[in-house]
Amino acid sequence: MNKFKNKIRKKVFDIGFDSVGFTKPIVDLKTSKKFKDFLDKNHHGEMKWLERHYEKKKNPKKIWEEVKTIMVVGLNYAPQDNPLKINDLKEKANISVYAKNKDYHVIIKNKLKEFKDWFDREFKLDCKIFVDTAPVMEKYFAKKTGVGWQGKHTNIVSKRFGSWLFLSEIFLSIDLDYDKPSRDNCGSCNDCVTICPTNALYEGSKIDARKCISYLTIEYKGPIPISLREKIGNKVYGCDDCLSICPWNKFSEPTKDKNFLALEEEKDLRFFLNFDENIFKKYFFQSPILRIGWIPFIRNILIASGNSRIQSLSCIIEKYLTHKEPLVRGTAVWSINKLYNFKKTELFHKLKTMEKNEYVKFELNCLD
């Protein structure tokens, strides 16, 4: 079996993956209970698919009954520069490292399909391939396979790649020798917990997603809580603070995959404020940002614009005060008031008189 396994491992690396490990398709009871506790506390927020997928997550055989070995593969996407530097550039739209080029789901899926085709030709066997949209406990299995351990930021950390690994899984219908699991190597370090702007991390490797900036700017579709808006800073899609601060990153090297290298320097908030929905779709047509849709994206841009304190942006934000979408109008009210004393203007009083939507009226009343 070792010869068989080595042949598979070699192919994975030839395709372009950077890490690989093998383990049995069993989730232990402790992990299942921890995930159930996360759901029971509603720390997953609006990500209700996690509830629907619970039974499959705790038992991979409910995804594919024939699975006997789970192979986890990792792909390095480490940036060339530390993303924390961008936090101080208040005029810039701060986009998470993984979303600055092409959609990683597409890139990885193509590599996995190449493996699947090879596996079928070579061994006349089927396998199942999954990127991170599948109901698989991928971080749990990444640790079991030795690919990395789950850091206190809840993501995988690798001695070789730091916090910058995309994970995906391949289910095999054959028994192979299993790799040794990774040991936790975070020690007493709490840098990722301390740096989180919204205190979303707690008790080591636990997270309340409802406070997480990545969740708020990507998964959450409603009005972002007022208490968290200033803490978001200039982040308009995701947050890399807890990943970027990890000391293990000093051993990582920037990705060599051109699909994950930033296409260009960060754009000014003004650049995106001048978008409309059609421009948004054209500009991000190959990006994972397209998935969240135009309305949540401009909501994020408006919040970052308010946090920028750049008063010259107010003339552009003003047009969003009468936008057809209440979420955009309401966020624009908060944003423009951060740039100048909007509640003392005639326009403010006019909008208060005309507005019919209860949410937008709430935002207006909060300025009184």
Side-chain angles (χ1 to χ4, degrees):
M1 280 298 179
N2 278 336
K3 185 177 179 181
F4 196 45
K5 179 178 170 183
N6 289 338
K7 198 170 187 178
I8 292 173
R9 188 189 297 272
K10 181 179 183 304
K11 183 61 181 180
V12 166
F13 289 134
D14 287 345
I15 289 172
F17 288 103
D18 298 295
S19 186
V20 61
F22 303 79
T23 191
K24 57 186 176 182
I26 297 174
V27 177
D28 62 43
L29 186 59
K30 180 181 177 181
T31 301
S32 295
K33 285 184 175 179
K34 184 179 178 181
F35 183 59
K36 186 64 165 59
D37 181 62
F38 171 75
L39 296 176
D40 289 344
K41 289 178 178 176
N42 197 36
H43 283 180
H44 58 306
E46 290 190 349
M47 298 183 288
K48 299 305 180 185
W49 63 86
L50 293 176
E51 297 174 27
R52 297 193 299 270
H53 291 164
Y54 173 68
E55 292 299 326
K56 289 183 177 179
K57 273 184 168 286
K58 72 175 187 177
N59 184 3
K61 285 190 175 291
K62 291 193 174 182
I63 300 173
W64 191 40
E65 190 175 348
E66 297 176 41
V67 62
K68 294 182 180 177
T69 300
I70 289 181
M71 179 166 61
V72 176
V73 292
L75 189 58
N76 175 33
Y77 72 102
Q80 294 178 323
D81 297 310
N82 193 322
L84 290 175
K85 297 177 182 178
I86 306 166
N87 289 347
D88 295 327
L89 305 177
K90 300 304 182 184
E91 77 281 6
K92 301 294 184 181
N94 193 346
I95 292 172
S96 188
V97 168
Y98 81 86
K100 291 183 177 180
N101 199 325
K102 295 181 180 177
D103 191 338
Y104 73 93
H105 295 93
V106 177
I107 306 302
I108 294 176
K109 199 67 176 282
N110 288 337
K111 291 180 182 293
L112 294 175
K113 286 179 179 177
E114 184 179 344
F115 175 86
K116 182 179 175 68
D117 292 342
W118 170 83
F119 191 73
D120 180 42
R121 291 194 310 270
E122 191 74 16
F123 305 112
K124 307 302 179 188
L125 291 170
D126 190 17
C127 67
K128 302 297 180 184
I129 55 177
F130 305 99
V131 192
D132 67 358
T133 52
V136 181
M137 293 267 199
E138 61 176 10
K139 289 181 277 191
Y140 167 81
F141 286 116
K143 179 180 179 179
K144 297 290 285 185
T145 59
V147 166
W149 69 94
Q150 192 167 1
K152 293 177 184 177
H153 51 29
T154 76
N155 294 291
I156 285 297
V157 184
S158 160
K159 283 186 175 182
R160 184 178 172 193
F161 302 105
S163 292
W164 308 109
L165 274 181
F166 287 130
L167 299 176
S168 47
E169 298 76 44
I170 302 173
F171 283 21
L172 304 175
S173 59
I174 51 174
D175 284 307
L176 294 176
D177 294 335
Y178 302 141
D179 293 317
K180 292 181 179 179
S182 297
R183 294 179 58 187
D184 292 335
N185 289 289
C186 290
S188 61
C189 178
N190 281 299
D191 288 356
C192 59
V193 177
T194 303
I195 200 173
C196 178
T198 55
N199 298 314
L201 301 168
Y202 69 102
E203 290 183 14
S205 298
K206 290 184 179 179
I207 186 170
D208 184 345
R210 297 169 300 179
K211 296 180 181 179
C212 175
I213 293 174
S214 286
Y215 166 79
L216 291 169
T217 57
I218 299 173
E219 303 297 344
Y220 184 62
K221 304 306 180 187
I224 291 177
I226 294 175
S227 61
L228 299 178
R229 291 177 191 173
E230 288 191 5
K231 296 175 182 179
I232 287 174
N234 65 345
K235 298 177 177 72
V236 301
Y237 186 90
C239 176
D240 293 320
D241 287 5
C242 64
L243 302 180
S244 304
I245 198 69
C246 181
W248 284 101
N249 290 337
K250 64 186 176 184
F251 299 110
S252 67
E253 293 184 4
T255 180
K256 294 184 173 100
D257 193 321
K258 62 181 181 180
N259 292 302
F260 302 138
L261 294 172
L263 286 173
E264 54 196 357
E265 292 185 357
E266 281 68 33
K267 293 287 189 182
D268 287 350
L269 292 165
R270 186 183 302 272
F271 175 76
F272 292 118
L273 280 172
N274 284 312
F275 272 25
D276 60 22
E277 185 170 5
N278 289 329
I279 298 174
F280 168 80
K281 289 179 178 178
K282 289 177 182 177
Y283 188 80
F284 290 119
F285 82 103
Q286 286 187 307
S287 167
I289 296 175
L290 183 66
R291 181 176 70 87
I292 70 169
W294 162 242
I295 298 304
F297 180 74
I298 196 61
R299 172 202 63 185
N300 300 343
I301 294 292
L302 287 167
I303 288 174
S305 297
N307 288 333
S308 75
R309 299 297 197 269
I310 301 172
Q311 291 190 2
S312 61
L313 295 181
S314 60
C315 59
I316 312 175
I317 295 172
E318 199 169 288
K319 69 180 181 181
Y320 292 106
L321 293 169
T322 53
H323 194 277
K324 64 179 181 179
E325 290 289 340
L327 178 61
V328 176
R329 295 201 303 277
T331 310
V333 167
W334 180 89
S335 180
I336 204 165
N337 192 62
K338 290 294 175 182
L339 303 183
Y340 67 87
N341 198 349
F342 177 62
K343 65 183 178 182
K344 290 190 175 181
T345 66
E346 289 185 19
L347 179 57
F348 168 75
H349 293 289
K350 181 181 178 181
L351 292 176
K352 275 200 80 171
T353 302
M354 295 174 58
E355 184 59 57
K356 303 299 182 185
N357 181 270
E358 290 301 319
Y359 157 64
V360 184
K361 286 163 69 173
F362 167 79
E363 291 281 0
L364 289 163
N365 289 332
C366 281
L367 305 187
D368 284 345

